[in-house]
Amino acid sequence: MENDNKLVETIIELIIKQFPDLIDVQKNALRDEIADKMTSNQSFADSMQSVQAIGDGSVAMGGDVSNSVIITGDNNTVAINIHGVQFPFDIPRPISWEEVRQTCRKTSIIHLEKMASKYVESLYVERKSAFGHVTRFFNSNEYRYLVISGHSGNGKTGFLYNLAETLQQDEQVAVLTMSCEFFQKPVRNPGSTPLLEMLAEGRIPAPDTHYGDYIGKLLNRVERDEGNKLVIIADAINETKSIDSIFQLLHALHCKGGDWIKVIISCRPHFWVQLSSNVFNTYGISPDYFYRPEEGNNKFLVMPGFTPEEMKLAYHKYQQYYHLKPEYYKDLDNDVKSRLREPLLLWLASEICRNDANSAKIVSKEVVGSDTRIIPAYSEKVISAFCQSHKSEHKGKTMAQVARCVLEDDIPNKMVEGERTCRNFVSEQAMSKFSDRQKDCVTEFVSRGILEQSEVGDISFRYERFYDYYFGIKLRELARDTTDLNCEPEEYYH
């Protein structure tokens, strides 16, 4: 290996003499291409091995000075002639930092749009504590990974969406935002099409070790300044089946790119606890690269509920948006305040009160209640609105029965658990057997945030709380148990 590296450096020196105007990123990329060809092309490897000595501007071949290495080419290609055999190499085009930023932006659009489905700008409340941790993470040369953990509905996706939009305003930062489906697309030969073109078209093959190497080589072509950072945001990593590939890719990127690449990951708490040992031990990523909040020893950041100050602002925004009562946060019952510190419950309560004459839009303990009250209350509101959209009263009643059956029986009974993930879903194949009315109900539940549909057509509950409630209905009936399904540890409220 050491001799191979010396041979590569020998050829690079000759190329530089012939083409003195090559910039560093082009030299680095050519170095990678020549090293690759030594492992993939036996004829080139044998010719390179015949190099025995370096002369003045030429390389003696097998003791015969007449058979020298001859470097030819133009602005686009370099040809290495060894023993009369010519091996051509393209001179890589440098990639400007602005090109990197725009490419990442184009690639992220589809994933940002999906994240935006859980984000309403006028209702968003900045999570100052979490943003402060992100700032410390960015300013550190020590950390390369930030794991944001939190239970379903705690606002992780909304926070990351807002963060991505904010970072993209900084000309020194390129943001690549990825969803779990990013890693599940069919594998194609990554060398067949320039990566920038693939990214611009949104065509991302599933990463493997080879693909990670390919991206790493591409990074060598980037013309960047000292302060430039590539930020990779991977939302809901617990929903992908390709955990091995993800961390192989990230590890390869960091080996090539170094500390100017920052990775932010979101996932469920129990999932990260299970995964972290594999990340540290199996994938060879040092635990020291993971951001550790100052207030604890955990190598992840917990996304908590709203702080009291954030809760006041959040309620004010929701009160104006939904015209809720009471008009002021201070007039809320203390138990209600505690429940509403979770963004999901605040949203559900507001949706239930929207245009509801019976509750008079009053956010009360009866509205917020527990998960065994608020989730079915919201679902019934969605079903009722869906039935009213059908002209026939008889058909509406039938649709209501079908809709409840879809939520309580059809969806949960057909759910399977994603391999090595915490994501339970109904496959596209199973969905194809649903009746038209069942499919209509599913479409309505997707549009109203109870269910969500992946890019590959699978259906799952949008929030884990919905899954816990509907999947557990029969168990609760058997046990005659009406306990609250809110299983979050108390630490998440304080």
Side-chain angles (χ1 to χ4, degrees):
M1 178 65 70
E2 184 178 350
N3 288 336
D4 289 349
N5 291 337
K6 289 181 178 179
L7 292 175
V8 171
E9 291 305 318
T10 295
I11 299 300
I12 290 295
E13 288 177 12
L14 294 177
I15 291 174
I16 293 172
K17 287 181 180 179
Q18 185 69 22
F19 299 97
D21 293 333
L22 289 177
I23 61 177
D24 288 343
V25 293
Q26 292 174 311
K27 298 172 191 175
N28 292 335
L30 278 171
R31 188 177 284 107
D32 284 334
E33 292 298 320
I34 294 170
D36 269 358
K37 198 152 194 169
M38 286 188 66
T39 60
S40 62
N41 186 309
Q42 191 59 48
S43 174
F44 181 67
D46 292 342
S47 297
M48 288 285 284
Q49 292 297 335
S50 66
V51 174
Q52 290 186 345
I54 301 176
D56 54 348
S58 65
V59 180
M61 309 301 295
D64 185 356
V65 178
S66 62
N67 290 324
S68 300
V69 172
I70 301 174
I71 305 296
T72 60
D74 52 32
N75 292 332
N76 299 315
T77 59
V78 167
I80 302 174
N81 191 302
I82 305 176
H83 283 309
V85 180
Q86 186 167 283
F87 301 95
F89 294 85
D90 291 332
I91 296 179
R93 176 181 63 84
I95 302 172
S96 71
W97 184 247
E98 184 57 29
E99 191 174 1
V100 173
R101 294 185 72 243
Q102 293 303 320
T103 298
C104 287
R105 176 68 176 174
K106 289 180 182 178
T107 307
S108 299
I109 286 176
I110 186 172
H111 309 300
L112 286 171
E113 286 177 348
K114 181 175 180 179
M115 294 170 72
S117 67
K118 298 183 179 181
Y119 177 88
V120 179
E121 184 176 3
S122 61
L123 295 178
Y124 181 74
V125 175
E126 181 180 340
R127 316 296 280 273
K128 293 183 179 179
S129 174
F131 197 84
H133 285 287
V134 171
T135 301
R136 285 193 287 274
F137 167 68
F138 270 33
N139 293 335
S140 168
N141 294 325
E142 176 184 2
Y143 301 119
R144 300 182 181 181
Y145 298 87
L146 170 62
V147 177
I148 298 178
S149 180
H151 288 277
S152 171
N154 268 27
K156 299 183 298 298
T157 297
F159 174 77
L160 290 179
Y161 177 84
N162 181 266
L163 178 65
E165 291 291 298
T166 301
L167 291 176
Q168 284 170 345
Q169 306 307 312
D170 188 340
E171 294 184 355
Q172 287 194 307
V173 178
V175 184
L176 179 60
T177 305
M178 307 179 295
S179 68
C180 58
E181 285 86 0
F182 179 97
F183 299 101
Q184 296 173 347
K185 296 190 177 182
V187 177
R188 296 183 181 180
N189 179 7
S192 61
T193 307
L195 180 62
L196 283 174
E197 293 181 18
M198 298 170 70
L199 292 175
E201 296 172 9
R203 294 189 292 113
I204 311 294
D208 53 23
T209 303
H210 177 60
Y211 187 62
D213 290 343
Y214 179 67
I215 294 180
K217 291 166 189 170
L218 192 85
L219 295 179
N220 283 336
R221 292 168 50 191
V222 175
E223 293 183 289
R224 62 184 183 86
D225 295 329
E226 184 66 27
N228 294 151
K229 283 185 172 60
L230 170 62
V231 180
I232 300 174
I233 298 177
D235 186 34
I237 202 171
N238 49 278
E239 295 183 5
T240 179
K241 301 176 183 179
S242 308
I243 298 298
D244 292 334
S245 297
I246 292 172
F247 281 98
Q248 286 174 4
L249 171 60
L250 295 176
H251 186 52
L253 287 176
H254 278 127
C255 287
K256 289 286 184 179
D259 60 7
W260 66 281
I261 299 177
K262 298 284 189 177
V263 178
I264 301 177
I265 297 168
S266 77
C267 68
R268 303 280 167 75
H270 48 285
F271 181 80
W272 179 247
V273 170
Q274 296 170 2
L275 177 64
S276 56
S277 60
N278 281 339
V279 171
F280 303 147
N281 300 324
T282 304
Y283 309 131
I285 302 178
S286 171
D288 295 335
Y289 286 149
F290 285 77
Y291 177 81
R292 180 188 295 117
E294 296 173 352
E295 59 267 22
N297 295 320
N298 292 328
K299 297 185 182 298
F300 59 88
L301 173 65
V302 174
M303 176 68 72
F306 291 125
T307 66
E309 288 303 314
E310 291 169 349
M311 186 64 244
K312 290 179 184 178
L313 179 57
Y315 184 76
H316 176 70
K317 290 189 172 190
Y318 275 76
Q319 190 278 327
Q320 291 189 317
Y321 187 86
Y322 288 98
H323 306 291
L324 303 175
K325 294 184 181 302
E327 294 184 0
Y328 301 104
Y329 176 72
K330 63 185 174 99
D331 296 328
L332 284 171
D333 181 274
N334 287 333
D335 289 342
V336 173
K337 288 181 181 179
S338 176
R339 291 284 285 171
L340 293 185
R341 288 181 62 185
E342 295 183 69
L344 172 59
L345 297 185
L346 177 58
W347 171 70
L348 285 175
S350 301
E351 284 288 334
I352 290 172
C353 292
R354 180 200 289 263
N355 299 324
D356 192 338
N358 293 328
S359 68
K361 305 178 186 177
I362 298 175
V363 180
S364 63
K365 191 180 299 186
E366 286 69 32
V367 173
V368 178
S370 63
D371 286 0
T372 54
R373 296 176 188 172
I374 195 168
I375 290 176
Y378 175 67
S379 301
E380 286 299 321
K381 184 174 178 63
V382 173
I383 292 171
S384 175
F386 183 43
C387 293
Q388 288 177 11
S389 68
H390 292 73
K391 301 295 185 182
S392 168
E393 182 180 352
H394 174 72
K395 184 179 181 182
K397 289 181 179 178
T398 304
M399 290 297 291
Q401 293 170 353
V402 172
R404 292 188 187 96
C405 182
V406 166
L407 281 179
E408 297 177 11
D409 293 321
D410 292 331
I411 293 288
N413 289 342
K414 289 181 171 60
M415 278 192 157
V416 297
E417 186 173 354
E419 181 182 358
R420 292 196 64 186
T421 76
C422 300
R423 179 173 181 267
N424 296 76
F425 62 91
V426 181
S427 68
E428 183 182 24
Q429 182 180 9
M431 278 291 300
S432 66
K433 299 178 182 178
F434 276 26
S435 68
D436 289 342
R437 288 187 175 184
Q438 288 174 313
K439 291 177 181 177
D440 287 344
C441 290
V442 169
T443 300
E444 179 70 9
F445 296 149
V446 169
S447 69
R448 297 295 292 269
I450 296 176
L451 301 175
E452 64 180 354
Q453 187 168 19
S454 72
E455 292 178 8
V456 296
D458 297 336
I459 295 292
S460 62
F461 282 106
R462 181 180 180 185
Y463 294 104
E464 194 172 32
R465 292 279 187 82
F466 284 109
Y467 167 77
D468 287 342
Y469 176 80
Y470 281 107
F471 200 75
I473 278 181
K474 288 183 174 55
L475 294 177
R476 290 199 309 278
E477 288 177 350
L478 290 174
R480 295 186 178 180
D481 182 10
T482 58
T483 56
D484 190 351
L485 287 178
N486 179 8
C487 301
E488 295 188 47
E490 191 171 333
E491 63 184 273
Y492 289 100
Y493 295 101
H494 300 287

